[in-house]
């Protein structure tokens, strides 16, 4: 429910206000965005058109690339365009759409990474039961659960955002709309919402990271029972997954496991 909201649009400050640096930001992120988009689209098309890639691992990989494409599109196009625009305003409705799409695609990507870790664990630790445990029906159900979980998480973020009253100040010191920078604009005590933010987004990042790292800790010792060629291939896959997990969850955990604003109880310490 929206309470006492006198703000109909926000102003995004972006990464920098200096004209030269804004052009550098535009070129750098445009190239990076196009590379990410083309890479993911190539993966999606390859998996969909190649019969040799009809396995649960590539089934999850397809949805990982799809979610990563949506994740990039939720913020990058707007940020790239704002780097060249003088008037970087975003409507309240567009801001809410950005919050939902960013958290939905990001959370979906987290859940898909967990499913890929589960698939790797079953393939390496229980190879004789792999086809029965990772059938197409089970994989489809797992992906559907991931979509529902991501949707629930995003709806919680929207509910928390809509419960905030904005009374006039509308300058967001960020390059896209997210709950944390919006909390700093709210004209009310955000202590409870801070706790909900940490328990929602923070818990998903932290718990998912622990689950993923634990799964690879279990998988790696099991590689000793495989032949040299199979062990090398599995180790290469695990290492690449671990690198992705660390790069993805490092910033995510640091951002969402700490309060966006100072809690009232801490101001007196």
């Amino acid at each position: 429910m929206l309470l006492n909201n006198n703000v109909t649009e926000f102003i995004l400050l972006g990464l920098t206000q200096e004209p030269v640096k804004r052009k550098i930001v535009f070129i750098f992120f445009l190239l990076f965005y196009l590379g990410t988009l083309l890479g993911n689209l190539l993966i999606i098309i390859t998996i969909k058109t190649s019969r040799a890639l009809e396995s649960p691992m590539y089934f999850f990989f397809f949805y990982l690339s799809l979610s990563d494409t949506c994740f990039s599109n939720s913020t990058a196009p707007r940020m790239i365009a704002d780097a060249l625009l003088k008037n970087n305003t975003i409507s309240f409705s567009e801001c809410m759409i950005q919050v939902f799409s960013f958290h939905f695609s990001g959370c979906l990507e987290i859940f898909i990474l967990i499913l890929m870790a589960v698939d790797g664990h079953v393939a390496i630790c229980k190879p004789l039961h792999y086809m029965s445990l990772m059938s197409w029906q089970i994989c489809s159900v797992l992906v559907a659960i991931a979509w529902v979980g991501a949707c629930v998480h995003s709806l919680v973020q929207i509910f928390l955002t809509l419960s905030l009253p904005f009374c006039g100040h509308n300058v967001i010191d960020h390059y896209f709309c997210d709950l944390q920078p919006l909390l700093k604009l709210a004209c009310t005590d955000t202590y409870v919402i801070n706790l909900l933010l940490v328990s929602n987004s923070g818990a998903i990042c932290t718990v998912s990271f622990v689950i993923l790292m634990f799964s690879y800790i279990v998988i790696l010792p099991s590689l000793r029972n495989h032949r040299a060629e199979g062990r090398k291939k599995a180790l290469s896959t695990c290492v690449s997954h671990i690198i992705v997990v660390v790069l993805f969850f490092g910033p995510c955990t640091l951002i969402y496991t700490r309060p966006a604003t100072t809690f009232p109880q801490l101001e007196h310490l």
Side-chain angles (χ1 to χ4, degrees):
M1 182 178 180
L2 197 61
L3 301 173
N4 301 324
N5 192 356
N6 299 322
V7 175
T8 59
E9 64 180 17
F10 297 101
I11 300 174
L12 298 169
L13 291 183
L15 294 174
T16 180
Q17 294 298 306
E18 298 182 20
V20 176
K21 291 184 178 180
R22 286 166 70 94
K23 292 179 181 179
I24 295 174
V25 167
F26 171 78
I27 296 173
F28 177 79
F29 282 97
L30 177 62
L31 294 176
F32 194 78
Y33 168 69
L34 291 177
T36 301
L37 190 64
L38 291 175
N40 282 323
L41 289 177
L42 181 61
I43 291 172
I44 291 172
I45 294 172
T46 302
I47 293 176
K48 275 299 181 181
T49 57
S50 177
R51 292 187 177 182
L53 303 180
E54 293 181 352
S55 68
M57 180 181 72
Y58 291 106
F59 177 75
F60 294 135
F61 200 16
F62 168 84
Y63 283 102
L64 181 67
S65 296
L66 181 62
S67 61
D68 191 57
T69 301
C70 296
F71 187 67
S72 300
N73 286 326
S74 65
T75 58
R78 175 74 198 218
M79 182 190 69
I80 293 169
D82 286 347
L84 294 182
L85 299 176
K86 294 182 178 179
N87 186 20
N88 300 335
T89 59
I90 182 171
S91 67
F92 188 88
S93 299
E94 187 180 352
C95 184
M96 295 304 100
I97 292 173
Q98 196 171 68
V99 170
F100 180 86
S101 60
F102 176 77
H103 281 273
F104 175 80
S105 54
C107 189
L108 179 61
E109 195 165 354
I110 289 174
F111 291 155
I112 296 298
L113 283 171
I114 293 176
L115 294 181
M116 292 181 71
V118 171
D119 175 70
H121 174 78
V122 175
I124 294 173
C125 300
K126 299 180 181 296
L128 297 179
H129 303 282
Y130 180 76
M131 295 308 298
S132 59
L133 293 176
M134 301 302 295
S135 64
W136 287 113
Q137 292 81 1
I138 292 177
C139 291
S140 299
V141 171
L142 290 175
V143 169
I145 293 174
W147 279 74
V148 172
C151 186
V152 171
H153 165 72
S154 304
L155 290 175
V156 170
Q157 298 298 103
I158 290 295
F159 175 78
L160 292 176
T161 307
L162 292 178
S163 67
L164 294 172
F166 302 103
C167 306
H169 187 54
N170 66 338
V171 179
I172 299 178
D173 189 12
H174 207 21
Y175 58 91
F176 70 95
C177 283
D178 198 6
L179 187 54
Q180 283 199 323
L182 288 173
L183 282 173
K184 298 178 181 179
L185 304 182
C187 50
T188 187
D189 181 14
T190 58
Y191 174 72
V192 175
I193 296 182
N194 260 301
L195 290 179
L196 293 174
L197 173 63
V198 172
S199 62
N200 183 22
S201 299
I204 288 177
C205 291
T206 305
V207 173
S208 299
F209 179 72
V210 171
I211 291 174
L212 286 167
M213 295 310 296
F214 178 77
S215 68
Y216 289 116
I217 290 174
V218 174
I219 288 174
L220 291 177
S222 303
L223 295 178
R224 293 177 297 182
N225 301 326
H226 292 255
R227 294 180 179 178
E229 183 179 351
R231 182 167 60 247
K232 184 178 180 180
K233 182 179 179 181
L235 183 61
S236 175
T237 302
C238 288
V239 170
S240 63
H241 285 186
I242 292 173
I243 292 174
V244 170
V245 167
V246 172
L247 292 176
F248 186 89
F249 284 92
C252 173
T253 304
L254 290 175
I255 293 172
Y256 292 107
T257 55
R258 60 183 178 84
T261 56
T262 303
F263 288 172
Q265 286 85 341
L266 300 180
E267 293 177 353
H268 305 289
L269 297 180

